[in-house]
Amino acid sequence: VRDIRLAYLSGQYVRAADLAAKQVENNRSGRDELIWSLEGATLMRVAGRLDDSVRTFDAADRLYENYAQQAKLKVGSESLALFTNPAKLPYRGRAYDGIMISVYQALESLQKGDRDAARVFINRTYERQQDAVAEHAAKIEKESASLQKDANVARTMQDPSFTNAFANLEHPVEGVAAYADYVNPFAVYLDGVFHWNAGGDQSDLQRAQKCFERVLAFAPDNAYVRDDFALASKAAAPGQLDAPVCYVLFETGSAPSREAVRIDVPIIVTKVSYVGISFPKLVTHDLYVKSLTVEKGGERWQTQRVASMDAVVAKDFANELPSIIAHATASAVAKAATAYALNSAAKQAGGEGAQLAAQILTAGYQLVMNVADTRTWNTLPKEFQVCKVTIPADRRIALSAPEYGWRQELTLNEGRVVVVWAKTVDQPSQMTVTQFTLK
């Protein structure tokens, strides 16, 4: 895993993709199959292995959907896994995972020139955002409530020292407006760009208008989104452009990762005092290329943020956190009570020596089980940024990051609407660039 991360961060995308493909195979039908499918598909995409990425995203999509259907039938079933290390349970995916799977499937369909498939995946991004609002929040609420029915769990979670211990687990994203539940503005933006430029009727035009309007609520200063909204609002049909245009879609940085933090909390069970519990905490990564410069005919434009994945992930984490806390606390209470019962029984059966042996065993068990689930989709970007320029007669543009001394010239594909996709983590030297014709 470390080798994959180092290869990815150093821009060795082919090596990272090869190593990730092995992990995908090694975890087939295992608890980490979905998370490695997500990482593998993304790395294959960045490495230019489009067909491999498409197949792996398709497999991830089926697995995510299977878990989603199971969750509808088994709301609250996680309360039965109180004695299990959460990291040993299958990774079932989070709401933003499902949305981003569909986003990448749509982009890859457009790269392959299959607009019909792209429309299906774009529609799915919308459906998954709606489903998440309707179902995921209810699932978390019910799960948390069912776990707190235990009087000891409820009393523990109401203890002031417990409340204070969790005050810093949520990670607010500075400088970014909080997004609505399960909204991914980039997914909405891609929806708008597709229906505006590749739509065929009045309903497509109206959908594009609505999408651009929604994105502006989250990125009110984005001049390119505002321009598309203005054009779509006065057009009589989709794609009424004065001149051919190029969209630059820029993925930069790394989405938040999760790290384990140990918190000592009071377990309100007779003769059991403080127990340490591990919880996940978000960690944001602030080393990234802040923007790309798009050059054309001596003029320059800057990419502008359309979506912060920091904000998307943080919002999802905040929604999930009460359930995480309730489950971990219920698990700690159950383990502590069981340990106390076993130790007491050992003392009655064999005296102090037997009790000591039992205490060592139960303490070791709790240590092994006291592990936070820090699995998350690490190869998602920190931000999605966009730029839009008219295509010059010679179809030549350049991408640059002047502060790093990096520049790359491009000859745009034929077409009235061309999309350039660029991705890097924290250095332009890691940049990968591709393009496709949307219209």
Side-chain angles (χ1 to χ4, degrees):
V1 175
R2 182 173 178 271
D3 289 345
I4 296 173
R5 185 68 178 168
L6 288 175
Y8 173 62
L9 292 176
S10 64
Q12 299 178 58
Y13 298 133
V14 173
R15 172 172 166 75
D18 288 341
L19 293 172
K22 293 179 182 177
Q23 288 290 342
V24 173
E25 287 303 315
N26 292 341
N27 286 277
R28 194 75 69 190
S29 300
R31 65 177 182 269
D32 291 334
E33 182 181 7
L34 176 55
I35 190 64
W36 274 115
S37 295
L38 297 176
E39 302 286 23
T42 312
L43 290 170
M44 293 168 195
R45 171 175 170 75
V46 178
R49 290 165 48 181
L50 184 59
D51 290 338
D52 289 340
S53 180
V54 168
R55 284 192 295 269
T56 309
F57 268 129
D58 285 347
D61 184 65
R62 289 191 296 271
L63 194 56
Y64 176 87
E65 196 60 35
N66 286 339
Y67 280 135
Q69 294 305 316
Q70 290 175 23
K72 293 178 182 179
L73 301 174
K74 300 177 181 179
V75 171
S77 63
E78 288 298 317
S79 61
L80 302 176
L82 298 182
F83 295 94
T84 306
N85 176 341
K88 298 296 184 182
L89 295 171
Y91 182 84
R92 294 178 170 86
R94 302 183 173 95
Y96 65 83
D97 289 339
I99 293 165
M100 283 307 305
I101 290 171
S102 297
V103 164
Y104 283 125
Q105 287 178 308
L107 284 170
E108 292 183 339
S109 295
L110 291 173
Q111 282 180 255
K112 293 173 76 69
D114 191 342
R115 292 184 196 169
D116 291 338
R119 183 183 288 270
V120 170
F121 292 127
I122 286 171
N123 286 338
R124 190 175 295 168
T125 64
Y126 176 79
E127 292 164 1
R128 282 183 169 166
Q129 289 182 90
Q130 299 304 306
D131 289 346
V133 173
E135 298 170 4
H136 197 66
K139 172 185 176 292
I140 291 174
E141 183 179 347
K142 290 179 181 179
E143 196 171 85
S144 180
S146 68
L147 291 166
Q148 292 183 54
K149 288 180 180 178
D150 185 299
N152 287 320
V153 174
R155 289 169 58 200
T156 296
M157 294 185 69
Q158 291 166 10
D159 186 271
S161 58
F162 178 96
T163 304
N164 292 335
F166 290 97
N168 295 320
L169 271 185
E170 287 192 51
H171 194 295
V173 181
E174 296 181 2
V176 178
Y179 293 162
D181 282 355
Y182 308 110
V183 167
N184 183 320
F186 181 71
V188 181
Y189 175 74
L190 182 63
D191 193 327
V193 168
F194 177 83
H195 285 93
W196 166 231
N197 292 286
D201 56 28
Q202 193 67 24
S203 64
D204 286 340
L205 176 62
Q206 291 173 355
R207 179 161 173 170
Q209 293 170 356
K210 185 63 178 177
C211 286
F212 292 138
E213 183 178 28
R214 289 181 65 202
V215 175
L216 283 173
F218 301 109
D221 298 326
N222 192 301
Y224 310 114
V225 179
R226 188 166 296 282
D227 183 64
D228 270 337
F229 175 63
L231 290 172
S233 296
K234 66 182 182 182
Q240 291 187 337
L241 304 174
D242 294 331
V245 296
C246 169
Y247 288 89
V248 177
L249 309 181
F250 179 39
E251 296 187 33
T252 180
S254 295
S257 55
R258 296 187 177 206
E259 69 177 22
V261 292
R262 176 187 162 101
I263 297 176
D264 289 325
V265 299
I267 303 300
I268 312 299
V269 180
T270 305
K271 297 185 180 180
V272 178
S273 56
Y274 279 74
V275 173
I277 312 177
S278 288
F279 291 89
K281 182 176 182 178
L282 285 186
V283 179
T284 55
H285 305 285
D286 296 327
L287 183 61
Y288 67 107
V289 178
K290 301 299 187 291
S291 68
L292 273 186
T293 298
V294 181
E295 305 175 21
K296 183 200 74 168
E299 296 181 287
R300 294 185 173 190
W301 291 262
Q302 297 294 125
T303 57
Q304 297 177 5
R305 182 175 63 202
V306 74
S308 163
M309 287 306 297
D310 282 0
V312 170
V313 173
K315 183 64 175 178
D316 191 280
F317 182 77
N319 290 339
E320 185 187 14
L321 190 57
S323 178
I324 293 174
I325 292 173
H327 188 278
T329 306
S331 180
V333 167
K335 292 168 189 171
T338 301
Y340 173 71
L342 290 173
N343 295 342
S344 298
K347 181 179 181 181
Q348 290 178 359
E352 297 291 340
Q355 182 186 29
L356 179 59
Q359 287 175 332
I360 293 173
L361 289 173
T362 55
Y365 166 77
Q366 291 189 70
L367 183 62
V368 171
M369 293 298 106
N370 181 22
V371 177
D373 186 0
T374 58
R375 293 171 295 181
T376 188
W377 190 350
N378 286 298
T379 45
L380 287 174
K382 180 183 182 71
E383 290 185 358
F384 284 98
Q385 300 181 7
V386 300
C387 180
K388 188 184 76 167
V389 297
T390 57
I391 297 176
D394 62 2
R395 307 192 75 82
R396 299 284 294 174
I397 67 168
L399 305 179
S400 66
E403 63 274 31
Y404 296 90
W406 177 87
R407 189 173 187 274
Q408 181 172 332
E409 295 188 357
L410 298 172
T411 298
L412 297 176
N413 293 347
E414 291 299 319
R416 287 189 58 77
V417 181
V418 177
V419 177
V420 173
W421 172 78
K423 178 180 174 69
T424 191
V425 184
D426 56 22
Q427 297 292 327
S429 59
Q430 307 158 340
M431 193 81 67
T432 181
V433 180
T434 190
Q435 59 175 302
F436 59 86
T437 300
L438 180 56
K439 182 179 180 181

